[in-house]
């Protein structure tokens, strides 16, 4: 039996890989993939701790998280398409004449 | 296409992500002693069935689970909303029809705005 | 209790308890249906009328429920539905009243704004769906429903910000809003998974019970709570997740900015108030002192929002930063909370709720005035606003009311809401929050009065002939918002009483 804290380490590693991608990549599509990694880190925790606590709340909620991730990507791709039509590129940093 | 070769973007913010992993790992290992043995699921109980019951709030099955009927109804509408938003954003208004999706193109072929109408563009 | 196993009348009971939400969903679907049945007709009027009717009926039902005491202690307390995942109570109804009134004003104003739009059905339906999602956020009682309804509110908001698809500013604003929103949703989901890891539950009352037993897992619970807080800070446009707000509000169509900065912000607070008051109160002693965290963030948000607003030359951007500052004021409602001080906590949180209601009207009105200016095509800076008061006295008078009310001058509704908020903070022992709030309010008078000065005292610099056209819907919405902002001064008593009773029920 794998100790449950290993799952936590795995999921936080995945979460931080996603965050790394968001902070360093400029392409909007890479950005979406990185967000997917972060959401799936949450799913690992939910499924692992569903077994740990002996209730299925986490597993059921993970299904909802997957569906919402898909919905979010759909809207995101729509915005990126509109961006491409206006700017001819999907570079986050270029469109971002961002004044943070 | 966007320049995304290694080294093309700044790596400095990435250190923040690595640092966050350090913090998270420290917290997790610090509380690792707090985890007991997992409860697990009773043998012979169908997990898939129980998830199905949970989605509709039926309350059968031996494995404890919270009711997700409200979440199920809300996400039904939420997916409609996502479809509505995505279709609106992706639709081309100018020709009035949906032309075939852009496959590639990018910088090398088209330089500058692709959309025909950029009269209002860059207004800040 | 399963809804499928009990007699069918309880479905009716559930639907009627969620009446405002059901009406909003049905009107959104009706808008889509009208558009599908006659896709070629220019049906802006019909669509706007349907949407306005939907929001007003939902508002009427909400106010009726509030007055009748539905879900409040007078009639047996909160109504728990769907195995406790939804709870209808005073707080949920109070916030639903805010969302539906803002949505009604925005729909009426959008009628003129979308006059030349090819396909307004998408706008109205997305707006109504977003309002629906907010009304669900206000009654969500489980982290599952909180997360899903929050996402359901965010998705149409991204599309609304990018609504002007051929306008670079709008698309860019939509992209930024989406990028920050997607990251914060991921952080929020990870936070929920950590809270589940530490407590084994998603229902807010069960989490509160389980927090007592976490002992060694307190660190994980603490990180989870911080990440959940991050999700709320994005939705309310507070530091450190505020930087999307000036970009999104400036680039978005002005009615959308009005909607996001008033209703969406209030929705973020609605769900944050409930989650932290119901689920995470015991964690104050066990895991992480989130009250202090919110206190520091409230101070930084108030200072940053107001100072940045003072340096702007663009009026819409100034309002965007001012809305960040107001998020700081409302954060006091979460910051001035101490374990075990139920009465004081309820007073402060109730005052923050009342402030969000008043803010809903005055801020929506101010952004709708900007929408009117955009429609006239006058310009964006303070100089461009010079002399408008002479050509459009009614609207400029209303704008002056909004500005002075936002600053908190004791003539309009904004005064009492800030006064009760700061007084509540002092009584709860958080005098430093009240002090920072009062100082930044005084500073805000400087930049708000610049707008009024430009409108009324300065000579026109440009050609103001465009002001001869009178957009009826925009005018009506601005005037109504102005009248309500004035009426909330004498009428503040019932508002604050309702809000404090609702907050007390959550803390009980």
């Amino acid at each position: 039996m794998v100790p449950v804290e290993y799952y936590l380490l795995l999921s936080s590693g995945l979460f931080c890989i996603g965050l790394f991608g968001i902070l360093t990549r400029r392409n909007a599509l890479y950005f979406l993939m990185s967000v997917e990694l972060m959401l799936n880190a949450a799913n690992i925790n939910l499924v692992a701790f569903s077994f740990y606590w002996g209730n299925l709340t986490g597993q059921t909620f993970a299904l909802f998280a997957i569906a919402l991730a898909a919905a979010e990507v759909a809207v995101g791709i729509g915005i990126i398409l509109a961006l491409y039509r206006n700017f001819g590129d999907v570079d986050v940093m270029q469109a971002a004449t961002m004044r943070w | 296409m966007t320049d995304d070769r290694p080294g093309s973007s700044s790596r400095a913010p990435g250190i923040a992500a690595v640092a966050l992993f350090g913090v998270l790992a420290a917290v997790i290992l610090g509380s690792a002693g707090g985890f007991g043995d997992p409860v697990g699921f009773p043998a012979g109980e169908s997990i898939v069935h129980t998830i199905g019951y949970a989605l509709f709030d039926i309350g059968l099955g031996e494995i404890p689970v919270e009711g997700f009927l409200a979440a199920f109804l809300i996400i039904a509408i939420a997916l409609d909303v996502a479809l509505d938003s995505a279709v609106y954003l992706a639709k081309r208004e100018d020709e009035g029809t949906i032309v075939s999706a852009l496959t590639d193109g990018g910088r090398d072929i088209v330089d500058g705005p692709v959309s025909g109408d950029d009269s209002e563009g860059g207004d800040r | 209790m399963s809804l499928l196993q009990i007699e069918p009348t309880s479905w009716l009971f559930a639907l009627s308890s969620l009446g405002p939400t059901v009406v909003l969903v049905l009107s959104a679907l009706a808008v889509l249906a009208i558009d599908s049945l006659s896709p070629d007709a220019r049906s802006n009027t019909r669509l706007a009328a349907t949407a306005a009717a939907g929001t007003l009926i939902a508002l009427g039902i909400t106010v009726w429920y509030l007055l009748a005491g539905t879900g409040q202690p007078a009639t047996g307390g909160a109504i728990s539905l769907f195995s406790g995942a939804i709870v209808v109570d005073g707080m949920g109804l109070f916030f639903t009243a805010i969302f539906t009134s803002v949505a009604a004003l925005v729909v009426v104003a959008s009628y003129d704004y979308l006059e030349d739009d090819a396909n307004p059905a998408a706008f109205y339906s997305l707006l109504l769906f977003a309002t629906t999602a907010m009304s669900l956020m206000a009654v969500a009682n489980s982290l599952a429903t909180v997360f899903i309804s929050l996402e359901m509110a965010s998705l149409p908001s991204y599309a609304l910000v990018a609504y002007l698809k051929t306008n670079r500013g709008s698309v860019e604003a939509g992209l930024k809003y989406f990028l920050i929103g997607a990251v914060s949703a991921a952080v929020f989901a990870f936070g929920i998974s950590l809270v589940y890891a530490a407590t084994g539950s998603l229902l807010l009352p069960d989490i509160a019970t389980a927090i007592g037993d976490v002992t060694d897992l307190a660190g994980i619970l603490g990180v989870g709570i911080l990440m959940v807080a991050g999700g709320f800070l994005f939705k309310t446009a507070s530091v450190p997740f505020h930087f999307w707000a000036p970009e999104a509000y400036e680039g978005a169509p002005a009615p959308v900015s009005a909607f996001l900065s008033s209703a969406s912000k209030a929705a973020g607070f609605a769900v944050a108030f409930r989650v932290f008051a119901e689920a995470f109160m015991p964690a104050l002693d066990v895991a992480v002192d989130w009250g202090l965290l919110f206190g520091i963030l409230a101070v930084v948000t108030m200072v940053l929002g107001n100072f940045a607003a003072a340096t702007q030359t663009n009026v819409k951007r100034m309002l965007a930063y001012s809305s960040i500052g107001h998020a700081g004021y409302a954060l006091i409602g979460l910051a001035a909370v101490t374990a075990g001080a139920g009465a004081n906590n309820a007073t402060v949180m109730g005052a923050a709720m009342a402030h969000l209601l008043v803010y809903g009207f005055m801020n929506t009105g101010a952004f709708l005035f900007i929408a009117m200016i955009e429609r006239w095509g006058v310009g964006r800076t303070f100089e461009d606003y010079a002399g408008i008061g002479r050509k459009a006295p009614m609207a400029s008078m209303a704008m002056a009311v909004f500005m002075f009310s936002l600053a908190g001058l004791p003539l309009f509704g904004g005064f009492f809401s800030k006064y009760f908020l700061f007084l509540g903070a002092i009584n709860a022992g958080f005098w430093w929050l009240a002090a920072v709030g009062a100082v930044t309010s005084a500073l805000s008078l400087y930049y708000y009065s610049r707008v009024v000065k430009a409108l009324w005292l300065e000579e026109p610099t440009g050609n103001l002939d465009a002001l001869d056209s009178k957009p009826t819907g925009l005018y009506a919405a601005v005037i109504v918002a102005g009248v309500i902002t004035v009426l909330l001064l004498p009428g503040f008593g019932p508002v604050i009483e309702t809000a404090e009773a609702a907050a007390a029920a959550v803390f009980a």
Side-chain angles (χ1 to χ4, degrees):
Chain A
M1 183 77 57
V2 181
V4 73
E5 57 263 29
Y6 288 9
Y7 288 104
L8 273 177
L9 281 176
L10 169 69
S11 68
S12 26
L14 200 57
F15 183 82
C16 293
I17 292 171
L19 193 65
F20 184 91
I22 284 165
L23 293 172
T24 55
R25 290 301 175 132
R26 305 166 50 126
N27 189 309
L29 295 172
Y30 282 105
F31 188 99
L32 282 181
M33 294 178 206
S34 303
V35 170
E36 288 296 302
L37 279 186
M38 293 170 77
L39 280 167
N40 281 323
N43 287 342
I44 290 179
N45 272 349
L46 287 169
V47 174
F49 280 89
S50 195
F51 185 75
Y52 175 78
W53 289 106
N55 66 41
L56 275 173
T57 305
Q59 285 203 28
T60 317
F61 184 58
L63 287 177
F64 287 92
I66 292 168
L68 274 179
E72 200 169 73
V73 168
V75 176
I77 295 280
I79 292 181
I80 290 170
L81 196 56
L83 182 85
Y84 179 78
R85 286 178 184 154
N86 279 287
F87 292 85
D89 205 343
V90 291
D91 187 336
V92 180
M93 299 297 170
Q94 193 216 5
T97 43
M98 256 194 242
R99 286 162 287 180
W100 295 91
Chain B
M1 212 54 201
T2 302
D3 185 14
D4 213 32
R5 286 164 306 193
S8 69
S9 50
S10 114
R11 282 289 155 84
I15 295 171
V18 179
L20 177 66
F21 179 70
V23 173
L24 286 176
V27 170
I28 291 163
L29 295 176
S31 34
F35 291 110
D37 287 328
V39 179
F41 302 123
E45 275 295 319
S46 167
I47 288 174
V48 176
H49 286 185
T50 311
I51 290 179
Y53 298 142
L55 287 182
F56 297 109
D57 238 352
I58 295 176
L60 299 174
E62 295 300 310
I63 308 175
V65 64
E66 288 161 15
F68 278 85
L69 181 59
F72 190 75
L73 294 175
I74 298 173
I75 207 167
I77 310 166
L79 293 177
D80 281 353
V81 176
L83 188 69
D84 192 8
S85 321
V87 167
Y88 170 74
L89 286 168
K91 204 164 56 180
R92 279 198 158 185
E93 302 277 306
D94 38 6
E95 286 97 22
T97 52
I98 300 174
V99 289
S100 65
L102 290 169
T103 48
D104 199 350
R107 275 286 150 105
D108 306 326
I109 303 169
V110 194
D111 210 18
V114 174
S115 161
D117 177 16
D118 99 30
S119 55
E120 300 211 324
D123 54 345
R124 283 185 286 123
Chain C
M1 176 82 77
S2 158
L3 282 170
L4 289 181
Q5 289 179 322
I6 42 186
E7 67 276 21
T9 47
S10 60
W11 269 101
L12 286 178
F13 177 67
L15 287 180
S16 69
S17 309
L18 290 171
T21 312
V22 173
V23 169
L24 287 168
V25 164
L26 291 180
S27 55
L29 294 175
V31 166
L32 285 181
I34 290 175
D35 185 54
S36 332
L37 292 177
S38 54
D40 298 323
R42 279 287 307 138
S43 46
N44 189 19
T45 313
R46 228 182 326 160
L47 296 171
T50 312
T55 50
L56 286 175
I57 293 172
L59 174 63
I61 296 176
T62 311
V63 173
W64 171 38
Y65 282 1
L66 267 177
L67 294 179
T70 306
Q72 292 157 69
T75 56
I79 301 169
S80 181
L81 301 169
F82 297 103
S83 314
I86 297 271
V87 62
V88 179
D89 62 359
M91 185 187 240
L93 290 170
F94 187 89
F95 274 105
T96 307
I98 301 180
F99 311 144
T100 45
S101 351
V102 171
L105 289 172
V106 170
V107 164
V108 171
S110 306
Y111 170 68
D112 287 314
Y113 203 87
L114 295 173
E115 210 169 24
D116 311 321
D117 196 275
N119 180 19
F123 186 92
Y124 294 119
S125 62
L126 290 175
L127 192 78
L128 287 169
F129 276 129
T131 317
T132 311
M134 288 169 191
S135 72
L136 284 167
M137 281 165 78
V139 296
N141 198 40
S142 146
L143 285 179
T145 40
V146 163
F147 180 64
I148 293 167
S149 55
L150 196 140
E151 278 295 289
M152 179 182 160
S154 294
L155 294 176
S157 305
Y158 304 144
L160 283 172
V161 169
Y163 189 77
L164 308 172
K165 281 185 290 186
T166 51
N167 179 317
R168 280 191 171 195
S170 177
V171 172
E172 208 182 309
L175 178 78
K176 283 170 195 166
Y177 189 25
F178 171 75
L179 294 180
I180 313 292
V183 176
S184 80
V187 172
F188 190 52
F190 198 68
I192 291 177
S193 78
L194 288 180
V195 170
Y196 177 71
T199 63
S201 178
L202 291 175
L203 288 171
L204 301 186
D206 292 4
I207 292 174
T209 317
I211 283 178
D213 309 323
V214 291
T215 56
D216 288 347
L217 303 184
I220 291 172
L221 177 68
V223 175
I225 289 176
L226 291 183
M227 288 189 165
V228 169
F232 296 141
L233 292 171
F234 158 74
K235 205 72 193 145
T236 58
S238 313
V239 173
F241 291 102
H242 64 286
F243 37 72
W244 60 271
E247 308 294 334
Y249 295 170
E250 193 191 346
V256 174
S257 313
F259 183 68
L260 290 185
S261 62
S262 308
S264 186
K265 191 183 294 277
F269 279 113
V271 74
F273 285 174
R274 188 184 298 281
V275 167
F276 278 89
E278 262 191 38
F280 294 156
M281 277 308 274
L284 273 175
D285 304 322
V286 179
V288 58
D289 187 356
W290 48 263
L292 182 66
L293 169 84
F294 282 122
I296 295 167
L297 291 180
V299 168
V300 178
T301 309
M302 285 187 276
V303 170
L304 188 142
N306 283 298
F307 272 90
T311 62
Q312 300 302 316
T313 53
N314 180 321
V315 182
K316 202 173 174 187
R317 206 173 166 85
M318 178 279 279
L319 274 180
Y321 278 109
S322 109
S323 102
I324 295 177
H326 277 271
Y329 300 136
L331 268 183
I332 293 178
L334 272 179
V337 159
T338 40
N344 274 338
N345 293 349
T347 312
V348 180
M349 195 170 278
M353 287 162 63
H355 182 66
L356 284 167
L357 179 99
V358 180
Y359 176 75
F361 285 102
M362 57 195 183
N363 185 62
T364 308
F367 269 107
L368 292 182
F369 182 81
I370 307 271
M372 201 175 334
I373 300 278
E374 278 183 3
R375 191 177 151 72
W376 282 328
V378 175
R380 294 155 180 273
T381 63
F382 285 98
E383 290 81 43
D384 296 327
Y385 281 42
I388 289 180
R390 281 171 231 179
K391 295 280 279 185
M394 288 292 281
S396 302
M397 185 66 82
M399 185 64 172
V401 168
F402 300 140
M403 291 293 105
F404 287 138
S405 183
L406 281 166
L409 283 196
L411 295 168
F412 308 108
F415 167 71
F416 271 146
S417 62
K418 271 188 188 169
Y419 175 77
F420 275 92
L421 188 56
F422 297 159
L423 194 69
I426 292 172
N427 284 341
F430 291 81
W431 58 268
W432 47 282
L433 284 171
V436 175
V439 169
T440 49
S441 292
L443 171 74
S444 71
L445 187 58
Y446 159 70
Y447 58 82
Y448 287 131
S449 60
R450 274 174 74 196
V451 179
V452 181
K453 181 163 155 279
L455 286 174
W456 288 101
L457 298 181
E458 288 170 9
E459 292 297 322
T461 50
N463 184 357
L464 293 181
D465 287 344
L467 271 63
D468 290 335
S469 76
K470 302 283 183 214
T472 327
L474 271 170
Y475 248 92
V478 168
I479 302 292
V480 167
V483 167
I484 293 178
T485 307
V486 174
L487 287 182
L488 277 173
L489 186 76
F492 195 69
V495 171
I496 186 84
E497 278 166 24
T498 315
E500 287 186 348
V506 172
F507 274 108

